[in-house]
Amino acid sequence: MRNPSAGERRYSASTPRPLPAEALPSVDVGDAPAMTAFFRPEGIALIGATADESKLGFGVAENLLEGGYPGSVHLVGTREGTLFSRPMYASVTEVPDPVDLAIILIPAPAVPPVLDACGRRGIRAVVISSSGFREVGPEGAALEQRCLEIAARYDMRLLGPNCIGTIDTQVPLDTTFLPLPPPPVGNIAFVSQSGAICAVVIDWARGQGFGFSRLVSLGNEADISETDILGAFTGDPNTKVVTMYLEGIADGRRFVEVARAVDKPLVAFKVGRFDAGREAASSHTGALAGEDVAYEAAFRRAGILRSSSTEEMFDWARALSNLPLPAGPGVAVLTNAGGPGVAASDALELHGLRIASLSSETTMLLEDLLPRAASANNPVDILASASPELYARCLEVLLEDTAVDAVMVILPPPPRYAAEDVAEALIPVIEGGSKPVVVALMGHELIGEAANRLRAAKVPEYRFPSRAAGALGALYRHAAALDLDQSVCAVAESVDATTASRLLTHSTGWLDPSRVSALLAVYGIPAAPSARAENAASAAVAADEIGYPVVVKLDSPDLPHKSDVGGVLLGLSDADDVRVGVDTMLTRVRSAYPDARIDGVVIQAMVGDGQQIAIGVVRDPQFGPLLMFGSGGVDVENMGDVAFALAPVTCTDVNYLLGHTWAGRRLSGSRGQERVDRDAVIDVMVRLGAMVVAHPEIAEAEINPLLARSGGAVALDCRVRVGTGEPRACDNTTFEEERD
């Protein structure tokens, strides 16, 4: 990774200033003018305004008119009169220009006709804050569908329903009904699929020293989704980082592509990591995959940092929005206490960082500065008696070391100095440097003023080293992601798409082995020679033609896990072994599974030793084809040595899959074992992923095992399932019979 120059990739913001009332500057928030109106409207119609202070309509009116919005506000209510010295209109059709945003906060059954009136009035952006739609059941869902139909008729964009609304602190604009004061002004955008979380975060941020540029509550996402709203932050100079509270994503592939195009760091807290529902899957790949691994793969492809909590998300966002990015993983720790320094070392390792090896020049400079009992080694312990000046000078020395990419300063309350004095000494050094510095400001009452001063200087401070290490880890991962090669790995030669499509036509469920073999051949995936046989006699003939030794496998679309039912015979060395083995197998399995369709057996050449690998692709409902790579064999699920990536895979995905599995690391040879053909394994991975991507009718495909050897790789067993829903048996027509 290249070394950023001073100030490069620095996501810092100048002190934000409110817009003058006479001007609303144009900001690029996406292609559609309607999307612009959600944050920078020229005029607003509030439908549902009321003088009753207990009603939400009053809260929205108060936020718009008392919150400083400089544009036109038109109030529409059921009673004549005035509110906040503004006239109340009986209908949106009566309000004067300008108006390009409507906020609807009335009972749900009354929304469709009002929405139609907005369309006739020429309004193209509408926030429906009303509840009582899809979230309450079928009747509400039908009402929501009517709103969508009306919106489509007028080319109108809807936010919600059942949402809080939008906030742009720079305008300022607050379309929500949340109580004043407004959110603190800052450079972090927040998108939430939970209105309650949005409300809590606004109040919580006031005491945490950071603020927001924009906030969006998505509600039911009848029209505008989390993906649509991302375009509202691209090009926004007031937003330096985008944070997201997500419960789900509707169009996963589009979300990934849009997220990759956003010109800012993205941090997401995706809930439902453990209890998300999983559909029953019949292959190892499907059983090992699940909703959460798909999100992990998607976030990795999109460059999104995934946090494990709301607090962690904003810990990272504070660092990303105010600090330069590190050039590498080396961190120096400066502390006045040994214990926190050790804790910091452990925490840094957990977040993919390392303790930097200080140069001899740095060590000598520190030794000259420090008392004899102090430690000039990293973590640098300058002892509890350290003065503010010593803290600052040691930080300068560490920042000058080329081996140091970032610094964590640990500051428990000094016994002889005020913590705020140390903070004041550190701030100019941090501001004058080009490397990220975070402060673990430990304590509560004794460090309150120090926290205020660091926050005013936009220096991220955290209560414990573990949180500070997490923030540095996020900076490093984002910096690394900017340099990743996300170009898709393509199959080198052209593929006979016509033949491949014909193999999949009129098939549902598991393909018969002859079609699978033909499909692998079309995509250039090497497979062991094989043949189908209906009975013991024909199996012996096929074995003679293939050559001994051979493997016999049960051919049954209803029993895909052959080993589990005794449907695999290894190392048969002559025709007699084959006849006896096949006859015994078929008799036993048919007796044990009388309702299963059994088409016979597959005879396959027995290949020599090698490393067994599993490569599979399953079609995720949100993100499409998801590729699995890991250790193969019958115990693949029990081993759990697998990793996932979106297909088609990129160069970065390949490195991830190989680096995060024992199977991938073992390809280079381990413990005296022969090194296998790593490139051949990667080639099969790319080809299998490309095959499923090119043919949406394929629900899942799996090679297990793929035998990797020094001279290449060969598929020993492959299954392909066509169609959606529960696996069903394919028709009994083989590819050879159909071709004849």
PDB file of all heavy atoms in Angstrom, residues 371-387:
ATOM      1  N   PRO A 371      12.859   9.583  32.508  1.00  0.00           N
ATOM      2  CA  PRO A 371      13.597   9.167  33.705  1.00  0.00           C
ATOM      3  C   PRO A 371      14.038   7.718  33.589  1.00  0.00           C
ATOM      4  O   PRO A 371      13.530   6.957  32.766  1.00  0.00           O
ATOM      5  CB  PRO A 371      12.571   9.368  34.828  1.00  0.00           C
ATOM      6  CG  PRO A 371      11.243   9.362  34.163  1.00  0.00           C
ATOM      7  CD  PRO A 371      11.470   9.925  32.789  1.00  0.00           C
ATOM      8  N   ARG A 372      14.985   7.317  34.425  1.00  0.00           N
ATOM      9  CA  ARG A 372      15.592   5.995  34.330  1.00  0.00           C
ATOM     10  C   ARG A 372      14.557   4.880  34.464  1.00  0.00           C
ATOM     11  O   ARG A 372      14.655   3.844  33.799  1.00  0.00           O
ATOM     12  CB  ARG A 372      16.662   5.850  35.411  1.00  0.00           C
ATOM     13  CG  ARG A 372      17.473   4.554  35.310  1.00  0.00           C
ATOM     14  CD  ARG A 372      18.465   4.478  36.459  1.00  0.00           C
ATOM     15  NE  ARG A 372      19.363   5.607  36.448  1.00  0.00           N
ATOM     16  CZ  ARG A 372      20.507   5.652  35.753  1.00  0.00           C
ATOM     17  NH1 ARG A 372      20.855   4.608  35.006  1.00  0.00           N
ATOM     18  NH2 ARG A 372      21.282   6.712  35.821  1.00  0.00           N
ATOM     19  N   ALA A 373      13.550   5.069  35.283  1.00  0.00           N
ATOM     20  CA  ALA A 373      12.569   4.004  35.535  1.00  0.00           C
ATOM     21  C   ALA A 373      11.547   3.853  34.417  1.00  0.00           C
ATOM     22  O   ALA A 373      10.777   2.884  34.392  1.00  0.00           O
ATOM     23  CB  ALA A 373      11.842   4.261  36.856  1.00  0.00           C
ATOM     24  N   ALA A 374      11.518   4.787  33.508  1.00  0.00           N
ATOM     25  CA  ALA A 374      10.546   4.727  32.407  1.00  0.00           C
ATOM     26  C   ALA A 374      10.998   3.717  31.355  1.00  0.00           C
ATOM     27  O   ALA A 374      12.123   3.212  31.387  1.00  0.00           O
ATOM     28  CB  ALA A 374      10.374   6.105  31.789  1.00  0.00           C
ATOM     29  N   SER A 375      10.115   3.447  30.401  1.00  0.00           N
ATOM     30  CA  SER A 375      10.419   2.497  29.330  1.00  0.00           C
ATOM     31  C   SER A 375      10.367   3.206  27.984  1.00  0.00           C
ATOM     32  O   SER A 375       9.343   3.787  27.618  1.00  0.00           O
ATOM     33  CB  SER A 375       9.417   1.337  29.336  1.00  0.00           C
ATOM     34  OG  SER A 375       9.612   0.512  28.201  1.00  0.00           O
ATOM     35  N   ALA A 376      11.477   3.124  27.236  1.00  0.00           N
ATOM     36  CA  ALA A 376      11.536   3.730  25.909  1.00  0.00           C
ATOM     37  C   ALA A 376      11.123   2.756  24.826  1.00  0.00           C
ATOM     38  O   ALA A 376      11.142   3.102  23.642  1.00  0.00           O
ATOM     39  CB  ALA A 376      12.942   4.252  25.633  1.00  0.00           C
ATOM     40  N   ASN A 377      10.768   1.544  25.224  1.00  0.00           N
ATOM     41  CA  ASN A 377      10.292   0.558  24.254  1.00  0.00           C
ATOM     42  C   ASN A 377       8.788   0.723  24.058  1.00  0.00           C
ATOM     43  O   ASN A 377       8.085   1.240  24.920  1.00  0.00           O
ATOM     44  CB  ASN A 377      10.613  -0.860  24.733  1.00  0.00           C
ATOM     45  CG  ASN A 377      12.103  -1.104  24.824  1.00  0.00           C
ATOM     46  OD1 ASN A 377      12.859  -0.710  23.934  1.00  0.00           O
ATOM     47  ND2 ASN A 377      12.540  -1.727  25.913  1.00  0.00           N
ATOM     48  N   ASN A 378       8.303   0.255  22.933  1.00  0.00           N
ATOM     49  CA  ASN A 378       6.875   0.365  22.603  1.00  0.00           C
ATOM     50  C   ASN A 378       6.116  -0.804  23.217  1.00  0.00           C
ATOM     51  O   ASN A 378       6.486  -1.967  22.961  1.00  0.00           O
ATOM     52  CB  ASN A 378       6.719   0.351  21.077  1.00  0.00           C
ATOM     53  CG  ASN A 378       5.378   0.858  20.622  1.00  0.00           C
ATOM     54  OD1 ASN A 378       4.618   1.418  21.393  1.00  0.00           O
ATOM     55  ND2 ASN A 378       5.074   0.648  19.350  1.00  0.00           N
ATOM     56  N   PRO A 379       5.084  -0.575  24.044  1.00  0.00           N
ATOM     57  CA  PRO A 379       4.480   0.688  24.479  1.00  0.00           C
ATOM     58  C   PRO A 379       5.447   1.534  25.323  1.00  0.00           C
ATOM     59  O   PRO A 379       6.132   1.008  26.206  1.00  0.00           O
ATOM     60  CB  PRO A 379       3.278   0.252  25.310  1.00  0.00           C
ATOM     61  CG  PRO A 379       3.010  -1.166  24.932  1.00  0.00           C
ATOM     62  CD  PRO A 379       4.342  -1.744  24.591  1.00  0.00           C
ATOM     63  N   VAL A 380       5.453   2.824  25.053  1.00  0.00           N
ATOM     64  CA  VAL A 380       6.341   3.756  25.737  1.00  0.00           C
ATOM     65  C   VAL A 380       5.661   4.210  27.025  1.00  0.00           C
ATOM     66  O   VAL A 380       4.637   4.894  26.992  1.00  0.00           O
ATOM     67  CB  VAL A 380       6.662   4.963  24.836  1.00  0.00           C
ATOM     68  CG1 VAL A 380       7.565   5.936  25.581  1.00  0.00           C
ATOM     69  CG2 VAL A 380       7.304   4.498  23.539  1.00  0.00           C
ATOM     70  N   ASP A 381       6.248   3.802  28.178  1.00  0.00           N
ATOM     71  CA  ASP A 381       5.681   4.138  29.490  1.00  0.00           C
ATOM     72  C   ASP A 381       6.490   5.285  30.079  1.00  0.00           C
ATOM     73  O   ASP A 381       7.641   5.108  30.482  1.00  0.00           O
ATOM     74  CB  ASP A 381       5.731   2.909  30.393  1.00  0.00           C
ATOM     75  CG  ASP A 381       5.075   3.147  31.748  1.00  0.00           C
ATOM     76  OD1 ASP A 381       4.622   4.291  31.999  1.00  0.00           O
ATOM     77  OD2 ASP A 381       5.011   2.200  32.553  1.00  0.00           O
ATOM     78  N   ILE A 382       5.908   6.472  30.137  1.00  0.00           N
ATOM     79  CA  ILE A 382       6.629   7.651  30.617  1.00  0.00           C
ATOM     80  C   ILE A 382       6.366   7.927  32.096  1.00  0.00           C
ATOM     81  O   ILE A 382       6.770   8.978  32.614  1.00  0.00           O
ATOM     82  CB  ILE A 382       6.286   8.883  29.759  1.00  0.00           C
ATOM     83  CG1 ILE A 382       4.790   9.194  29.800  1.00  0.00           C
ATOM     84  CG2 ILE A 382       6.727   8.656  28.314  1.00  0.00           C
ATOM     85  CD1 ILE A 382       4.416  10.465  29.009  1.00  0.00           C
ATOM     86  N   LEU A 383       5.679   7.007  32.764  1.00  0.00           N
ATOM     87  CA  LEU A 383       5.430   7.025  34.210  1.00  0.00           C
ATOM     88  C   LEU A 383       4.370   8.057  34.601  1.00  0.00           C
ATOM     89  O   LEU A 383       4.101   9.021  33.871  1.00  0.00           O
ATOM     90  CB  LEU A 383       6.719   7.281  34.998  1.00  0.00           C
ATOM     91  CG  LEU A 383       7.862   6.282  34.745  1.00  0.00           C
ATOM     92  CD1 LEU A 383       9.072   6.641  35.593  1.00  0.00           C
ATOM     93  CD2 LEU A 383       7.402   4.850  35.015  1.00  0.00           C
ATOM     94  N   ALA A 384       3.794   7.836  35.774  1.00  0.00           N
ATOM     95  CA  ALA A 384       2.673   8.655  36.248  1.00  0.00           C
ATOM     96  C   ALA A 384       3.078  10.104  36.496  1.00  0.00           C
ATOM     97  O   ALA A 384       2.237  11.002  36.480  1.00  0.00           O
ATOM     98  CB  ALA A 384       2.099   8.054  37.528  1.00  0.00           C
ATOM     99  N   SER A 385       4.366  10.351  36.714  1.00  0.00           N
ATOM    100  CA  SER A 385       4.822  11.713  37.017  1.00  0.00           C
ATOM    101  C   SER A 385       5.015  12.566  35.772  1.00  0.00           C
ATOM    102  O   SER A 385       5.428  13.727  35.879  1.00  0.00           O
ATOM    103  CB  SER A 385       6.149  11.644  37.782  1.00  0.00           C
ATOM    104  OG  SER A 385       7.132  10.962  36.989  1.00  0.00           O
ATOM    105  N   ALA A 386       4.711  12.034  34.584  1.00  0.00           N
ATOM    106  CA  ALA A 386       4.981  12.740  33.332  1.00  0.00           C
ATOM    107  C   ALA A 386       4.233  14.061  33.260  1.00  0.00           C
ATOM    108  O   ALA A 386       3.039  14.152  33.567  1.00  0.00           O
ATOM    109  CB  ALA A 386       4.595  11.856  32.155  1.00  0.00           C
ATOM    110  N   SER A 387       4.944  15.091  32.838  1.00  0.00           N
ATOM    111  CA  SER A 387       4.361  16.425  32.709  1.00  0.00           C
ATOM    112  C   SER A 387       3.682  16.573  31.352  1.00  0.00           C
ATOM    113  O   SER A 387       3.921  15.789  30.427  1.00  0.00           O
ATOM    114  CB  SER A 387       5.450  17.483  32.839  1.00  0.00           C
ATOM    115  OG  SER A 387       6.342  17.395  31.722  1.00  0.00           O
TER     116      SER A 387
END
